[in-house]
């Protein structure tokens, strides 16, 4: 397999959501051929540039995002691709760290106090990892003090808050107020999501953005990155 | 009051499961997702511990958007008030498929197996809905024996019925809530639980009640 073939196949296998050679993917005929994990290892053996490998993974996820938006792909397909990229990023992590390559940013995510829903939060977390962010998942039912403490000690660039119910979403506003009181609000961009929240609610509590889903969160973060560099 | 655990043989409606995962009526699941859904659906009986409880109470009066129920229970909602002013009684219920399924979803999710976690979570939701149909049938038979009919189910959090009204639903249930606990934020634990009401009254008045066609929330998951 040439270096060019590896890169093409890496992207294709992300689109197929094939973590390893044992998985079927969307196209069942691929079963038995190398998946994202094997191709990532092969790319490293062949000394393909890290940037090229990451670009192939990102390009694959971009196609997945497009297919998800056009309803050609659905949640399980998107998750399979994100899982595959997540595995590849785990393989690349020590090499990226050794090469001092920075991630796109540090993202802390939590379901606020009083709420224990985690599927939506976990989907966002896996998509962001696949998009090149360093994600710290603080869990569910996370006390405001713990979130503020994390922001203080770890200085994440972004904070994602999740809540499903109208009775629990108010805690998001409590977190933002606590960040202000601690003098930390300007250090971190706050994104909110969940079934009960909206753009209007984000504005009301002073969040920086409301995200409909994980792909939307990636777009919002990209726009923050662009604003930072321009 | 009637409380029961039922045999955990569920006929999971796989079409509904795909629907919950966003496939709708036109989306075609890949072969691997389809086989995963079927595998979990076939084995769901090992992960659910279904139980339900319901109580049938008299409706004392309806004033504006407030419904006064026997036992110092007050429901506040225009949609619920318009339903219950047609009814003589109301069945209040809580049901659950238990906590085991949620634990497995959490474990899968923690292990990074998000596809499996999402599929099992959707199947758990369908199992709870299936159990709700069972409860509705039981209440329907009880009403029929009295020459009455039943309405559709309504739950706090839908229409204009606030989630915080869960407290009133649980107050109506008394001490028997089928093992379901309500948190301060009105979240039910285990998560795969449903609470709500079913109106009981003259069949011609209650069976046709449906507020959905006049509601603006077009993307509501409960739209009927």
């Amino acid at each position: 397999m040439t270096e060019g073939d590896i890169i093409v196949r890496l992207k294709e296998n992300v689109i197929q959501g094939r973590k390893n050679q044992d998985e079927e993917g969307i196209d069942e005929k691929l079963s038995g051929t190398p998946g994202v994990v094997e191709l990532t290892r092969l790319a490293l053996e062949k000394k393909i540039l890290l940037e090229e490998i990451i670009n192939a993974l990102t390009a694959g996820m971009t196609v997945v995002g497009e297919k998800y938006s056009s309803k050609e792909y659905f949640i399980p397909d998107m998750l399979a691709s994100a899982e595959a990229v997540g595995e590849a990023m785990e393989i690349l992590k020590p090499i990226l760290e050794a090469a001092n390559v920075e991630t796109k940013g540090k993202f802390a995510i939590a379901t606020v106090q009083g709420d224990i829903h985690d599927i939506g939060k976990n989907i966002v977390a896996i998509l962001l990892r696949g998009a090149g962010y360093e994600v710290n998942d603080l869990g569910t039912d996370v006390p405001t003090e713990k979130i503020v403490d994390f922001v203080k000690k770890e200085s994440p660039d972004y904070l994602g808050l999740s809540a499903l119910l109208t009775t629990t979403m108010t805690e998001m506003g409590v977190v933002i107020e606590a960040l202000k009181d601690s003098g930390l609000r300007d250090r971190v961009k706050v994104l909110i999501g969940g079934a009960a929240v909206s753009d209007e609610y984000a504005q009301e509590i002073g969040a920086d953005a409301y995200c409909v889903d994980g792909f939307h969160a990636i777009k919002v973060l990209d726009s923050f990155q662009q604003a930072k560099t321009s | 009051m009637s409380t029961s655990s039922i045999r955990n043989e569920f006929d999971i409606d796989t079409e509904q499961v795909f629907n919950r995962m966003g496939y709708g009526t036109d989306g075609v699941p890949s072969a691997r997702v389809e086989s995963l859904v079927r595998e979990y659906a076939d084995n769901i009986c090992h992960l659910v511990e279904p139980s339900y409880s319901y109580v049938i109470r008299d409706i004392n009066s309806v004033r504006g958007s407030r419904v006064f129920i026997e036992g110092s229970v007050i429901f506040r909602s225009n949609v619920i008030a318009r339903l219950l002013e047609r009814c003589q009684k109301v069945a209040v219920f809580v049901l659950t498929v238990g906590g085991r399924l949620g634990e497995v979803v959490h474990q899968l999710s923690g292990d990074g197996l998000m596809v499996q976690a999402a599929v099992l979570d959707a199947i758990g939701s369908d199992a709870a809905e299936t159990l709700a149909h069972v409860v509705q049938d039981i209440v329907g038979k009880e009403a029929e024996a009295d020459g009455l009919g039943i309405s559709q189910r309504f739950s706090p959090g839908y229409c204009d019925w606030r989630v915080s009204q869960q407290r009133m639903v649980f107050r109506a249930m008394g001490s028997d809530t089928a093992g379901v606990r309500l948190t301060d934020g009105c979240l039910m634990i285990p998560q795969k639980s449903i609470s709500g009401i079913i109106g009981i009254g003259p069949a011609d008045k209650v069976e046709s009640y449906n507020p959905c066609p006049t509601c603006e929330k077009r993307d509501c998951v409960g739209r009927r």
Side-chain angles (χ1 to χ4, degrees):
Chain A
M1 208 183 298
T2 67
E3 292 177 4
D5 283 342
I6 294 169
I7 290 300
V8 169
R9 286 199 192 190
L10 198 51
K11 179 184 167 188
E12 181 54 28
N13 275 276
V14 169
I15 298 168
Q16 289 284 329
R18 291 188 67 240
K19 209 186 305 187
N20 56 50
Q21 60 188 8
D22 300 328
E23 295 195 338
E24 279 179 9
I26 304 277
D27 178 356
E28 294 156 63
K29 283 179 234 156
L30 289 172
S31 191
T33 63
V36 170
V37 165
E38 292 87 5
L39 288 164
T40 303
R41 290 202 176 109
L42 194 57
L44 290 173
E45 276 171 29
K46 298 257 182 183
K47 310 245 182 269
I48 294 176
L49 290 175
L50 275 175
E51 195 185 351
E52 274 187 65
I53 301 172
I54 291 170
N55 284 346
L57 298 169
T58 310
M61 275 317 281
T62 303
V63 174
V64 171
E66 287 162 5
K67 285 177 181 282
Y68 182 69
S69 296
S70 65
K71 300 204 169 176
E72 185 185 336
Y73 271 23
F74 298 91
I75 290 171
D77 310 311
M78 170 262 279
L79 287 174
S81 297
E83 269 181 31
V85 174
E87 287 280 321
M89 294 307 285
E90 279 301 310
I91 296 168
L92 298 177
K93 198 176 170 185
I95 302 152
L96 288 166
E97 281 172 359
N100 264 336
V101 177
E102 286 191 5
T103 62
K104 279 183 165 179
K106 207 185 227 187
F107 192 103
I109 191 165
T111 300
V112 294
Q113 187 160 31
D115 204 320
I116 54 168
H117 292 95
D118 67 353
I119 277 274
K121 167 184 68 64
N122 294 347
I123 290 174
V124 172
I126 197 168
L127 278 174
L128 292 181
R129 278 196 190 106
Y133 290 87
E134 180 188 343
V135 180
N136 291 97
D137 187 346
L138 306 185
T140 61
D141 193 15
V142 185
T144 295
E145 307 78 59
K146 189 178 168 186
I147 296 173
V148 172
D149 201 43
F150 186 87
V151 172
K152 196 174 184 178
K153 287 181 181 153
E154 302 296 330
S155 299
D157 305 285
Y158 309 102
L159 172 65
L161 299 175
S162 166
L164 189 77
L165 301 178
T166 50
T167 45
T168 53
M169 69 184 193
T170 50
E171 197 63 26
M172 294 171 161
V174 174
V175 172
I176 291 174
E177 286 306 310
L179 287 171
K180 279 184 198 165
D181 293 345
S182 307
L184 299 166
R185 181 65 188 92
D186 296 337
R187 279 168 47 179
V188 63
K189 295 266 189 205
V190 181
L191 294 80
I192 65 167
V197 299
S198 61
D199 257 330
E200 293 73 31
Y201 189 67
Q203 283 171 30
E204 190 185 317
I205 62 171
D208 294 289
Y210 157 67
C211 302
V212 179
D213 57 27
F215 282 115
H216 186 207
I218 291 169
K219 280 185 188 158
V220 167
L221 291 175
D222 284 347
S223 72
F224 286 153
Q225 299 261 352
Q226 278 166 11
K228 223 194 276 182
T229 52
S230 62
Chain B
M1 179 163 313
S2 178
T3 307
S4 272
S5 291
I6 62 168
R7 290 171 64 203
N8 51 357
E9 287 175 8
F10 273 100
D11 278 331
I12 295 296
D13 183 344
T14 50
E15 291 303 312
Q16 281 299 324
V17 174
F18 289 125
N19 215 0
R20 278 175 203 286
M21 291 189 295
Y23 288 88
T25 46
D26 302 328
V28 181
S30 63
R32 69 173 165 190
V33 171
E34 197 159 0
S35 102
L36 191 61
V37 167
R38 295 206 188 287
E39 186 191 324
Y40 277 143
D42 289 346
N43 292 294
I44 194 69
C45 58
H46 303 299
L47 294 176
V48 295
E49 300 142 335
S51 111
Y52 66 85
S53 177
Y54 69 90
V55 56
I56 294 178
R57 293 196 178 272
D58 288 330
I59 298 164
N60 292 337
S61 64
V62 178
R63 275 177 261 158
S65 61
R66 290 189 296 176
V67 186
F68 297 84
I69 312 278
E70 169 200 4
S72 304
V73 173
I74 306 169
F75 293 147
R76 284 169 188 250
S77 148
N78 264 317
V79 168
I80 300 304
R82 298 296 75 77
L83 165 69
L84 295 183
E85 66 189 2
R86 303 157 183 243
C87 301
Q88 293 162 1
K89 292 170 185 290
V90 60
V92 187
F93 67 88
V94 175
L95 60 90
T96 185
V97 295
R100 172 86 185 114
L101 185 137
E103 285 167 13
V104 176
V105 168
H106 187 72
Q107 205 177 325
L108 288 167
S109 183
D111 290 344
L113 298 171
M114 284 304 299
V115 181
Q116 286 86 337
V119 166
L120 191 56
D121 187 75
I123 289 178
S125 297
D126 191 69
E129 279 296 325
T130 303
L131 184 56
H133 288 307
V134 170
V135 173
Q136 195 159 9
D137 286 346
I138 292 167
V139 172
K141 280 182 186 135
E142 207 169 313
E144 202 181 335
D146 293 333
L148 298 169
I150 60 164
S151 71
Q152 301 184 78
R153 295 190 306 273
F154 290 86
S155 296
Y158 291 90
C159 309
D160 65 341
W161 202 14
R162 291 177 180 271
V163 176
S164 55
Q165 283 268 293
Q166 286 277 29
R167 294 189 189 101
M168 283 294 162
V169 169
F170 274 68
R171 179 187 285 186
M173 295 303 302
S175 58
D176 192 345
T177 56
V180 179
R181 179 171 71 81
L182 202 60
T183 67
D184 290 343
C186 293
L187 202 70
M188 286 185 286
I189 295 175
Q191 278 188 69
K192 295 297 176 199
S193 303
I194 300 176
S195 67
I197 60 153
I198 299 166
I200 301 172
D204 59 333
K205 286 189 178 174
V206 299
E207 286 174 0
S208 59
Y209 181 76
N210 182 12
C212 295
T214 56
C215 181
E216 296 295 315
K217 291 178 194 163
R218 304 265 164 220
D219 58 346
C220 173
V221 291
R223 197 169 181 89
R224 297 180 271 219

